Amino acid sequence: MAVLAIMVGVAAIAVNRYSVRRQSDLIETILPAMQLASRIGETTEVVSTLATAFVHADTPEDLKKVASALGLAVSKIEAGARELEGINPLPPDNTSSEAAKIVERMARNGQEELRLSIAIARAGGELGRVGDQLDRLVEAETDLARLKITAGIAGIYAGQEPDLRSSLDTLADRYFFAFERLAELARMVDTIRLKFQQVPDIVTADEVARLTSELDEQIELAAGRITYLPTGAAQQEVTALIQTFRDALAVEGLIDLQRMRIALQNAIATDSEDLRLVISSLSDRARQARDAVQATGLAHMTEVQRVSSQMTAALLAWVIAAVIAGAVLWLYARKQLVARLANLSAALSRLQAVITARLL
């Protein structure tokens, strides 16, 4: 009986330890996968925020910080995805190195775009100063032309001009015409200045091409009005200043800088979208790995439950068999003991009778 009890106890302990160990193994597998998937999801949201901040960074220092944080977040996602795939391997993919390359390229283009922004701001400020100087020169020359007109009219009224008709023709054909051209030049300079001020806000290459064509036409028209300036010194100075406007349309000029800046902005926008797709792919792979781990865990859990049920049923059968065996042994032992005691009692009775007979 003691042996049967020991055997039943050992079997029960074995079943219990098997169930506990298998469930602990499942928890140790599924729980890290769930935690990793949760961290990857949180980091993915951080990447989206950092990508937006990257586009709006306005200093090299801020851009460097954002790029560093973005690279760190991407590395965490890649490491988490690889770890999840290690728990439940998936087909190989090259998204990890691609994400790192995209972030590196975005950082490089972002620094160059900031450099161009600074150069554009400087060039724009210089063109603004040139425009102010042109305004002052044209205004002074316009005042001088106005004085010549006034002097000519005064000379006619004072009778200082012997040939009145010739003087009126000169006044109309030369002074008034030159005055009108100078007024046109002033308006053209203002138009050119306004268009150059619009350059940093242009966002497409088509707009750059259109504005370049308009500026080129306006500058040439303005250059054609230089000959109507009253003084030669002013003509030379205005010619030099107009050349500054022309230089802004040349290679490495304001327009070319903005064209390169737009190309970089487009490249950064494309890389940002590519990074979003890569991160989305990594997140999907992590989610698939998590789901695979969960599915495997559930399958193992079902198997454990099935095996545990079978072992429990076997243990119950074993207990029942042990109880029956114990009962049989008990009955057998009891029957044998009673029979032996009866024989012993009969033998003792016979012995007592013999002893009594001899004594008598």
Side-chain angles (χ1 to χ4, degrees):
M1 292 292 292
V3 172
L4 289 174
I6 292 173
M7 293 175 65
V8 169
V10 170
I13 292 172
V15 171
N16 182 65
R17 285 179 61 82
Y18 172 80
S19 299
V20 171
R21 185 175 66 253
R22 291 307 300 258
Q23 292 195 10
S24 297
D25 292 341
L26 289 174
I27 291 174
E28 290 176 358
T29 301
I30 294 176
L31 187 59
M34 298 295 293
Q35 291 175 340
L36 275 173
S38 177
R39 286 201 298 268
I40 288 173
E42 293 173 357
T43 310
T44 299
E45 295 179 359
V46 172
V47 168
S48 300
T49 303
L50 289 174
T52 302
F54 184 93
V55 175
H56 293 92
D58 53 1
T59 65
E61 292 76 16
D62 290 342
L63 184 63
K64 186 176 181 180
K65 291 179 181 178
V66 174
S68 177
L70 186 60
L72 181 61
V74 168
S75 298
K76 287 182 178 179
I77 292 176
E78 292 173 347
R82 284 195 298 268
E83 189 172 350
L84 269 176
E85 292 174 355
I87 296 174
N88 192 83
L90 291 177
D93 200 312
N94 296 325
T95 38
S96 298
S97 59
E98 185 64 24
K101 290 179 181 178
I102 290 173
V103 173
E104 181 181 355
R105 189 165 58 243
M106 286 178 64
R108 186 170 59 252
N109 288 340
Q111 292 289 350
E112 180 63 14
E113 194 269 337
L114 281 179
R115 186 191 70 80
L116 289 176
S117 296
I118 294 172
I120 288 169
R122 290 174 180 170
E126 178 62 24
L127 289 174
R129 288 189 290 273
V130 169
D132 291 338
Q133 194 171 352
L134 272 172
D135 277 342
R136 290 193 296 270
L137 278 171
V138 172
E139 184 179 358
E141 292 297 296
T142 302
D143 289 340
L144 182 58
R146 186 183 295 110
L147 287 175
K148 287 187 175 184
I149 293 173
T150 303
I153 294 173
I156 292 173
Y157 275 101
Q160 297 176 356
E161 300 294 338
D163 189 349
L164 184 60
R165 184 178 181 83
S166 177
S167 298
L168 288 173
D169 289 341
T170 301
L171 188 64
D173 295 340
R174 182 177 178 184
Y175 295 141
F176 276 110
F177 185 78
F179 181 79
E180 290 176 357
R181 301 292 81 77
L182 292 179
E184 290 176 356
L185 177 60
R187 289 194 298 270
M188 291 175 184
V189 170
D190 288 338
T191 300
I192 293 170
R193 291 179 60 189
L194 180 60
K195 289 185 182 298
F196 274 124
Q197 290 174 2
Q198 296 172 359
V199 170
D201 299 325
I202 297 176
V203 295
T204 66
D206 291 340
E207 292 181 24
V208 171
R210 178 185 57 79
L211 189 61
T212 301
S213 178
E214 293 176 356
L215 280 168
D216 185 62
E217 182 181 355
Q218 291 289 332
I219 290 172
E220 293 308 316
L221 288 174
R225 302 296 188 273
I226 294 176
T227 57
Y228 297 102
L229 293 169
T231 64
Q235 290 179 7
Q236 292 179 359
E237 192 169 355
V238 170
T239 298
L241 294 174
I242 290 293
Q243 183 59 42
T244 304
F245 284 158
R246 287 196 181 99
D247 293 340
L249 304 181
V251 178
E252 294 296 328
L254 176 64
I255 297 296
D256 195 40
L257 293 177
Q258 182 62 17
R259 186 182 294 108
M260 290 188 290
R261 181 189 179 196
I262 291 172
L264 285 173
Q265 289 174 339
N266 291 336
I268 291 172
T270 300
D271 284 338
S272 180
E273 179 62 19
D274 290 344
L275 180 62
R276 186 190 67 80
L277 293 175
V278 170
I279 295 302
S280 178
S281 176
L282 284 171
S283 298
D284 289 342
R285 289 177 59 80
R287 187 162 48 252
Q288 291 172 6
R290 181 202 61 190
D291 293 342
V293 170
Q294 286 180 329
T296 303
L298 290 174
H300 287 170
M301 189 173 294
T302 302
E303 179 65 17
V304 168
Q305 290 176 349
R306 186 184 66 80
V307 174
S308 297
S309 298
Q310 292 177 348
M311 294 180 68
T312 302
L315 178 61
L316 180 60
W318 178 256
V319 171
I320 293 172
V323 170
I324 293 173
V328 170
L329 289 174
W330 171 256
L331 291 175
Y332 175 78
R334 184 176 181 181
K335 182 178 179 180
Q336 293 296 322
L337 181 61
V338 170
R340 290 181 179 181
L341 287 175
N343 292 333
L344 180 60
S345 178
L348 289 174
S349 296
R350 287 194 301 270
L351 179 61
Q352 186 178 5
V354 171
I355 293 173
T356 303
R358 289 183 179 181
L359 289 176
L360 293 177

